[in-house]
Amino acid sequence: MAMREAAGTLIADWRRHSYELGFGAGIAQGYATLGQIGFAERAGYTAIGTVCNLAARLCAEAKDGQILVSSRIAEAVEAVATLEDLGNLELKGLRRPVAAFNVIELTSEAPP
């Protein structure tokens, strides 16, 4: 939520310079394989797995200002956030439609 607010400020600043920017995010939770990939001259640390693909696809689907989350994340935050149910989305690279939710606002502080 803080990133969306900060992005709004940056977007307004860039708009004054005739640039149109947007902000959208996708969040998913699940298992991934983490590790270093590459070779001696060029190596990097990355995460791979279906959850990474899901988060990337939700991000690609998000319209300006949206934070799209998977059903697992929606369940985890429903006590502290207002969510908009977007139904099932057909996402590239995933066999079945995925339930997606848009985070509208925080309704209370997260429990410790």
Side-chain angles (χ1 to χ4, degrees):
M1 300 298 292
M3 287 174 59
R4 179 166 63 187
E5 290 173 23
T9 303
L10 290 173
I11 290 167
D13 290 345
W14 280 98
R15 191 169 289 136
R16 284 193 289 263
H17 298 287
S18 300
Y19 291 98
E20 286 298 319
L21 301 177
F23 173 85
I27 304 171
Q29 179 183 0
Y31 292 100
T33 300
L34 306 173
Q36 194 167 8
I37 63 165
F39 48 93
E41 291 81 27
R42 179 157 161 62
Y45 192 80
T46 194
I48 58 172
T50 303
V51 69
C52 302
N53 194 23
L54 174 55
R57 299 304 181 205
L58 287 171
C59 187
E61 193 72 25
K63 294 177 178 58
D64 187 24
Q66 285 186 320
I67 300 172
L68 300 188
V69 299
S70 66
S71 58
R72 187 179 266 182
I73 295 293
E75 288 176 27
V77 302
E78 66 186 354
V80 297
T82 302
L83 302 172
E84 173 189 14
D85 186 345
L86 300 178
N88 292 332
L89 302 180
E90 296 278 344
L91 301 174
K92 180 181 172 186
L94 299 173
R95 288 184 220 144
R96 291 177 286 185
V98 174
F101 301 83
N102 179 32
V103 180
I104 303 297
E105 65 181 353
L106 292 179
T107 56
S108 65
E109 288 296 317

